[in-house]
Amino acid sequence: MNSTQNVIAGVGLADRPLKSRWPARMDFAQSASGLVLGLFMWGHMFFVSTILISKDAMWSVTKFFEGYFVLGVSYPGVVSIVVAGVLGLVMFHAFLAMRKFPANYRQYRTFIGHRRFMAHEDTTLWWVQVVTGFLLFFMAAVHLYQMMMHPGDIGPYGSADRVWSGRWWPLYLVMLFAVELHGGVGLYRLCVKWGWLEGKDANASRRKLKAAKWVLTVFFLVLGLATLGAYMKIGYEHRAQVGEKYTPAWAVPAPKEKAQ
Amino acid sequence: MAEVKAARTLTFKILRYNPRVPGDKPRLQSYQLEEADGMTLFIALNEIRDKQDASLAFDFVCRAGICGSCAMTIDGRPGLACRTLTKNLGAEITLAPLPVFELIADLSVDTGKWMRGMSERLQTWVHMKQEEIDLKRIEDRMDPDLAEEIFELDRCIECGCCVAGCGTARMREDFVGAVGLNKVARFRLDPRDKRTDDDYYELVGDDAGVFGCMSLLGCHDVCPKQLPLQTQIAFLRRKMVLQGTKG
């Protein structure tokens, strides 16, 4: 037997006489989750790119996040918890953003025709977000699951072996472009969507925001490519010793690790 | 002596289609015309109709960017024919009707039906409490700055360019478009209108309203009156989110 609420909702009258508050919450939540993920993306890129400074620098960042410098022992499980949170947030954001995707052939065809004929930059950038967002459903999920299950494998050799000998570099290469374009456009869109940094002249501010967006996107793409190249090189040179972990000379013997 | 530039020969590729003629199919028809000084698309189209093809259908009334009747898609972008100078376009110009609205024929569309539906849905008129309506009483004074602010948004001519340039409106037929959101923002400013944010939430607090907007800003970029649509929609979004998350 259906409850009263099920009967009312079942015939499409759930939001009568008053409109539901959920569209407002969902709109806010989509932007908020996107903001957190966008900022995380940039922070993450800075952390992984420390390999460009030195193996020791990257090792130190890894151990910092495992709590070694505070607790004296590494807890890779801490990374697993953070990654699980990020994965949850990605799923939440994707669920909300999917509402905006073209939902059927007619909508898809109409939008594609509109985008091509109008040749409007922000409209095209939105489509870039749709395509990259779709790709990230799969790529981000694979990457995050791997990190969540094997947090102890993050390190100068561990990561490089995964990239090269584990053949993860093709995924990382495509994901780098997908995530930087998606996040960069998304952060720009957040500003124009909510009126942030608008100032007195919205058009001038928008031009500046877009210029800043492109500068940042190019910067992070170059940084990402250089970083990926560095891991590939280390991985290639280390291919005969896959599984060996890196420990800086000043940290020998290797710090104790708590089971994940 | 100043050099006299040879006039360009313009090629107009115009979408021809009359949905009321059985069997008619959309096609592009080309017309050539010598460009004249200060020529607008409105002048060019009239010349084509007068001298080359009397069957070409397009709309115009005011010729001064006030009535919004001559809105059409110009090289892919919605705009007003009377406000578009041919010298700012290439030698080949593609003209098509505005999408979304009911097509009458060729470049002529019925924006009125859509706009009326939107106005009725969003109740775009000043809502006063019945007991306060006293026709003999002098209206309350309004701060000139506020009046100016309201007037700025009231400059909308309902040409439909913002709707035709909107990716959301193209995909989702029930979306109110920037024209509707701008009107809500306008009445929200008006102190004579006694509606509250709770009332406005009932009008635009869903995906067919302000939350459907994906901030592609096509509306803002094509508005022939340069209305601050980006700012207004962002403002309305903040207010409606606040309203929607209150309770």
Side-chain angles (χ1 to χ4, degrees), chain A residues 149-164:
Chain A
M149 291 302 165
H150 300 280
D153 290 349
I154 302 171
Y157 284 160
S159 299
D161 288 342
R162 184 174 60 254
V163 166
W164 184 257

PDB file of all heavy atoms in Angstrom, chain A residues 149-164:
ATOM      1  N   MET A 149      43.113   2.476  -2.545  1.00  0.00           N
ATOM      2  CA  MET A 149      43.469   1.110  -2.160  1.00  0.00           C
ATOM      3  C   MET A 149      44.965   0.904  -1.966  1.00  0.00           C
ATOM      4  O   MET A 149      45.392  -0.013  -1.277  1.00  0.00           O
ATOM      5  CB  MET A 149      42.938   0.125  -3.219  1.00  0.00           C
ATOM      6  CG  MET A 149      41.443   0.030  -3.208  1.00  0.00           C
ATOM      7  SD  MET A 149      40.861  -0.487  -1.568  1.00  0.00           S
ATOM      8  CE  MET A 149      39.143  -0.101  -1.656  1.00  0.00           C
ATOM      9  N   HIS A 150      45.773   1.739  -2.612  1.00  0.00           N
ATOM     10  CA  HIS A 150      47.232   1.583  -2.506  1.00  0.00           C
ATOM     11  C   HIS A 150      47.918   2.897  -2.151  1.00  0.00           C
ATOM     12  O   HIS A 150      48.793   3.362  -2.886  1.00  0.00           O
ATOM     13  CB  HIS A 150      47.797   1.040  -3.834  1.00  0.00           C
ATOM     14  CG  HIS A 150      47.243  -0.282  -4.214  1.00  0.00           C
ATOM     15  ND1 HIS A 150      47.679  -1.477  -3.669  1.00  0.00           N
ATOM     16  CD2 HIS A 150      46.253  -0.618  -5.079  1.00  0.00           C
ATOM     17  CE1 HIS A 150      46.986  -2.480  -4.186  1.00  0.00           C
ATOM     18  NE2 HIS A 150      46.113  -1.980  -5.044  1.00  0.00           N
ATOM     19  N   PRO A 151      47.539   3.501  -1.054  1.00  0.00           N
ATOM     20  CA  PRO A 151      48.127   4.806  -0.720  1.00  0.00           C
ATOM     21  C   PRO A 151      49.613   4.707  -0.404  1.00  0.00           C
ATOM     22  O   PRO A 151      50.360   5.677  -0.567  1.00  0.00           O
ATOM     23  CB  PRO A 151      47.335   5.241   0.517  1.00  0.00           C
ATOM     24  CG  PRO A 151      46.860   3.969   1.127  1.00  0.00           C
ATOM     25  CD  PRO A 151      46.614   3.041  -0.003  1.00  0.00           C
ATOM     26  N   GLY A 152      50.056   3.543   0.010  1.00  0.00           N
ATOM     27  CA  GLY A 152      51.470   3.364   0.355  1.00  0.00           C
ATOM     28  C   GLY A 152      52.370   3.367  -0.870  1.00  0.00           C
ATOM     29  O   GLY A 152      53.595   3.502  -0.747  1.00  0.00           O
ATOM     30  N   ASP A 153      51.781   3.256  -2.039  1.00  0.00           N
ATOM     31  CA  ASP A 153      52.584   3.236  -3.268  1.00  0.00           C
ATOM     32  C   ASP A 153      52.856   4.628  -3.812  1.00  0.00           C
ATOM     33  O   ASP A 153      53.354   4.777  -4.920  1.00  0.00           O
ATOM     34  CB  ASP A 153      51.881   2.405  -4.355  1.00  0.00           C
ATOM     35  CG  ASP A 153      51.881   0.927  -4.010  1.00  0.00           C
ATOM     36  OD1 ASP A 153      52.599   0.555  -3.052  1.00  0.00           O
ATOM     37  OD2 ASP A 153      51.137   0.172  -4.666  1.00  0.00           O
ATOM     38  N   ILE A 154      52.475   5.640  -3.051  1.00  0.00           N
ATOM     39  CA  ILE A 154      52.749   7.005  -3.516  1.00  0.00           C
ATOM     40  C   ILE A 154      54.145   7.382  -3.036  1.00  0.00           C
ATOM     41  O   ILE A 154      54.457   7.291  -1.852  1.00  0.00           O
ATOM     42  CB  ILE A 154      51.708   8.010  -2.962  1.00  0.00           C
ATOM     43  CG1 ILE A 154      50.298   7.594  -3.391  1.00  0.00           C
ATOM     44  CG2 ILE A 154      52.010   9.422  -3.462  1.00  0.00           C
ATOM     45  CD1 ILE A 154      49.182   8.394  -2.725  1.00  0.00           C
ATOM     46  N   GLY A 155      54.973   7.815  -3.969  1.00  0.00           N
ATOM     47  CA  GLY A 155      56.349   8.187  -3.639  1.00  0.00           C
ATOM     48  C   GLY A 155      57.137   8.353  -4.916  1.00  0.00           C
ATOM     49  O   GLY A 155      56.633   8.039  -6.004  1.00  0.00           O
ATOM     50  N   PRO A 156      58.370   8.822  -4.820  1.00  0.00           N
ATOM     51  CA  PRO A 156      59.163   9.073  -6.036  1.00  0.00           C
ATOM     52  C   PRO A 156      59.294   7.829  -6.910  1.00  0.00           C
ATOM     53  O   PRO A 156      59.111   7.910  -8.131  1.00  0.00           O
ATOM     54  CB  PRO A 156      60.518   9.510  -5.493  1.00  0.00           C
ATOM     55  CG  PRO A 156      60.218  10.066  -4.146  1.00  0.00           C
ATOM     56  CD  PRO A 156      59.090   9.249  -3.606  1.00  0.00           C
ATOM     57  N   TYR A 157      59.575   6.675  -6.311  1.00  0.00           N
ATOM     58  CA  TYR A 157      59.686   5.459  -7.117  1.00  0.00           C
ATOM     59  C   TYR A 157      58.321   4.797  -7.320  1.00  0.00           C
ATOM     60  O   TYR A 157      58.007   4.333  -8.409  1.00  0.00           O
ATOM     61  CB  TYR A 157      60.649   4.454  -6.459  1.00  0.00           C
ATOM     62  CG  TYR A 157      62.112   4.811  -6.627  1.00  0.00           C
ATOM     63  CD1 TYR A 157      63.089   4.284  -5.774  1.00  0.00           C
ATOM     64  CD2 TYR A 157      62.535   5.664  -7.646  1.00  0.00           C
ATOM     65  CE1 TYR A 157      64.433   4.603  -5.925  1.00  0.00           C
ATOM     66  CE2 TYR A 157      63.868   5.995  -7.804  1.00  0.00           C
ATOM     67  CZ  TYR A 157      64.816   5.467  -6.937  1.00  0.00           C
ATOM     68  OH  TYR A 157      66.137   5.796  -7.094  1.00  0.00           O
ATOM     69  N   GLY A 158      57.534   4.740  -6.245  1.00  0.00           N
ATOM     70  CA  GLY A 158      56.229   4.083  -6.328  1.00  0.00           C
ATOM     71  C   GLY A 158      55.350   4.704  -7.412  1.00  0.00           C
ATOM     72  O   GLY A 158      54.779   4.000  -8.259  1.00  0.00           O
ATOM     73  N   SER A 159      55.289   6.034  -7.415  1.00  0.00           N
ATOM     74  CA  SER A 159      54.451   6.718  -8.411  1.00  0.00           C
ATOM     75  C   SER A 159      55.044   6.565  -9.805  1.00  0.00           C
ATOM     76  O   SER A 159      54.322   6.348 -10.782  1.00  0.00           O
ATOM     77  CB  SER A 159      54.328   8.208  -8.059  1.00  0.00           C
ATOM     78  OG  SER A 159      53.717   8.336  -6.790  1.00  0.00           O
ATOM     79  N   ALA A 160      56.375   6.698  -9.898  1.00  0.00           N
ATOM     80  CA  ALA A 160      57.035   6.597 -11.212  1.00  0.00           C
ATOM     81  C   ALA A 160      56.873   5.186 -11.785  1.00  0.00           C
ATOM     82  O   ALA A 160      56.650   5.029 -12.986  1.00  0.00           O
ATOM     83  CB  ALA A 160      58.512   6.963 -11.075  1.00  0.00           C
ATOM     84  N   ASP A 161      56.979   4.172 -10.931  1.00  0.00           N
ATOM     85  CA  ASP A 161      56.781   2.791 -11.409  1.00  0.00           C
ATOM     86  C   ASP A 161      55.353   2.585 -11.905  1.00  0.00           C
ATOM     87  O   ASP A 161      55.120   1.900 -12.898  1.00  0.00           O
ATOM     88  CB  ASP A 161      57.071   1.787 -10.281  1.00  0.00           C
ATOM     89  CG  ASP A 161      58.562   1.704  -9.980  1.00  0.00           C
ATOM     90  OD1 ASP A 161      59.365   2.128 -10.844  1.00  0.00           O
ATOM     91  OD2 ASP A 161      58.921   1.231  -8.874  1.00  0.00           O
ATOM     92  N   ARG A 162      54.413   3.167 -11.173  1.00  0.00           N
ATOM     93  CA  ARG A 162      53.014   3.029 -11.595  1.00  0.00           C
ATOM     94  C   ARG A 162      52.814   3.695 -12.962  1.00  0.00           C
ATOM     95  O   ARG A 162      52.193   3.134 -13.858  1.00  0.00           O
ATOM     96  CB  ARG A 162      52.085   3.671 -10.551  1.00  0.00           C
ATOM     97  CG  ARG A 162      50.610   3.477 -10.877  1.00  0.00           C
ATOM     98  CD  ARG A 162      49.701   3.976  -9.771  1.00  0.00           C
ATOM     99  NE  ARG A 162      49.870   5.392  -9.493  1.00  0.00           N
ATOM    100  CZ  ARG A 162      50.477   5.890  -8.437  1.00  0.00           C
ATOM    101  NH1 ARG A 162      50.987   5.081  -7.519  1.00  0.00           N
ATOM    102  NH2 ARG A 162      50.584   7.194  -8.271  1.00  0.00           N
ATOM    103  N   VAL A 163      53.385   4.900 -13.090  1.00  0.00           N
ATOM    104  CA  VAL A 163      53.221   5.659 -14.336  1.00  0.00           C
ATOM    105  C   VAL A 163      53.838   4.895 -15.515  1.00  0.00           C
ATOM    106  O   VAL A 163      53.201   4.749 -16.560  1.00  0.00           O
ATOM    107  CB  VAL A 163      53.866   7.057 -14.198  1.00  0.00           C
ATOM    108  CG1 VAL A 163      54.020   7.735 -15.554  1.00  0.00           C
ATOM    109  CG2 VAL A 163      53.021   7.924 -13.268  1.00  0.00           C
ATOM    110  N   TRP A 164      55.071   4.409 -15.323  1.00  0.00           N
ATOM    111  CA  TRP A 164      55.771   3.793 -16.455  1.00  0.00           C
ATOM    112  C   TRP A 164      55.500   2.287 -16.539  1.00  0.00           C
ATOM    113  O   TRP A 164      54.885   1.818 -17.494  1.00  0.00           O
ATOM    114  CB  TRP A 164      57.272   4.075 -16.371  1.00  0.00           C
ATOM    115  CG  TRP A 164      57.961   3.527 -17.579  1.00  0.00           C
ATOM    116  CD1 TRP A 164      58.695   2.383 -17.665  1.00  0.00           C
ATOM    117  CD2 TRP A 164      57.937   4.068 -18.899  1.00  0.00           C
ATOM    118  NE1 TRP A 164      59.126   2.178 -18.943  1.00  0.00           N
ATOM    119  CE2 TRP A 164      58.670   3.202 -19.737  1.00  0.00           C
ATOM    120  CE3 TRP A 164      57.339   5.218 -19.478  1.00  0.00           C
ATOM    121  CZ2 TRP A 164      58.842   3.436 -21.092  1.00  0.00           C
ATOM    122  CZ3 TRP A 164      57.520   5.452 -20.836  1.00  0.00           C
ATOM    123  CH2 TRP A 164      58.252   4.560 -21.616  1.00  0.00           C
TER     124      TRP A 164
END
